[in-house]
Amino acid sequence: MKLSVIIPIRNRSQLFDIGLNSLAKQFKDWELVLVDEMSSEDLSKVYKQYPIKVTHIKFSPEGHPYNNGYHTPALAINLCIKHAKGVVICITQPEIIHDVENLQRGYEQAKQDEFVFGKVILSHLKSKFTKEMTFNECWQEATRLAVPFADNALYWYVAFVKKEHIEAIRGVEEWYMGGVYAEDDDFKERLRLHGVLPVLNSAIRGVHINHEHEGDLYTRQDRNGEFWKRGAERNRKRFYDWLETRKKGDRTVNKSGWGEEKYIKEITYIR
């Protein structure tokens, strides 16, 4: 298997359908690894429409030492990585509409031992997208109402790196489940320290369908308030503490384990 596309998800099935449709006719030798935080929606109705090999993992972070009710992709991505069979991993999100050459371009560059990420537009909430639209039509729609500073590279949105490099840094640091800040920057920095340089490929493009986070702790907390401030300070301190230990020769992260199987409730394999 050349490529594994990994997607952490909880519900959002309508957005997921649009995003997966943009991937379904791309690169041939790939699989989808979906790690689902106990969605109430039936996501299988989405992926069974497409001729794609799927590993669907349902998990619950209950009991995780860093779980505080705030959903971050840390544990989900680690579980994805452990079950992925591809040489290269593509990390993305369910609500991303992909350009038609994303998987091929990302795979070809990442296998050269680089951490490759694409150019993503965060669309306005009023933007409308359908499966029938071409990628260029989606890009134009996103550009028409794009929020300020939206044309950025966002590491979790369209990113490619060899599985062996992610395993070497022991995945995403799961302490970020207890905070709200910079898990993607930390991941990028640890890859860089491992010797895998981050590279923006602007030919790899994605449209992020902006959406409401109804009922999510993310929106119930004031982003400029104490919750966010404490999370940012705690995560930043832990990262710099880790840098200091690394200088002393200790390169271990996720010391309490990473992507532990005990959080998995069910696995379904398709095709």
Side-chain angles (χ1 to χ4, degrees), residues 178-190:
V180 294
Y181 179 81
E183 65 268 27
D184 50 357
D185 289 321
D186 169 67
F187 181 76
K188 173 175 70 79
E189 179 64 8
R190 286 189 290 108

Side-chain angles (χ1 to χ4, degrees), residues 63-176:
H64 192 288
Y66 297 123
N67 178 41
N68 73 348
Y70 173 76
H71 175 72
T72 73
L75 175 58
I77 287 177
N78 285 344
L79 290 170
C80 279
I81 293 161
K82 287 200 165 182
H83 286 264
K85 296 179 175 63
V87 173
V88 170
I89 303 291
C90 169
I91 306 172
T92 189
Q93 297 284 348
E95 61 275 3
I96 296 297
I97 303 171
H98 290 260
D99 201 348
V100 293
E101 296 294 330
N102 277 3
L103 297 188
Q104 183 69 44
R105 288 170 174 160
Y107 169 77
E108 293 294 340
Q109 190 167 351
K111 71 180 185 180
Q112 306 301 320
D113 297 303
E114 294 180 330
F115 174 43
V116 184
F117 50 97
K119 191 174 184 180
V120 176
I121 283 185
L122 175 61
S123 70
H124 194 281
L125 281 169
K126 293 181 180 179
S127 297
K128 301 296 181 184
F129 304 98
T130 69
K131 290 173 24 174
E132 291 68 38
M133 295 169 67
T134 67
F135 178 79
N136 285 336
E137 288 171 338
C138 292
W139 186 269
Q140 290 168 7
E141 171 67 6
T143 303
R144 183 175 67 85
L145 293 172
V147 298
F149 312 112
D151 190 5
N152 294 314
L154 305 171
Y155 307 124
W156 285 161
Y157 288 33
V158 187
F160 299 82
V161 66
K162 277 185 177 178
K163 180 179 179 179
E164 66 182 84
H165 296 316
I166 304 178
E167 290 176 326
I169 65 168
R170 295 174 63 82
V172 182
E173 177 51 72
E174 291 177 15
W175 74 50
Y176 285 101

Side-chain angles (χ1 to χ4, degrees), residues 25-40:
K25 299 176 182 178
Q26 291 202 30
F27 192 79
K28 298 299 182 185
D29 190 9
W30 70 282
E31 64 171 352
L32 171 66
V33 184
L34 195 67
V35 175
D36 170 6
E37 191 175 329
M38 304 305 290
S39 293
S40 59

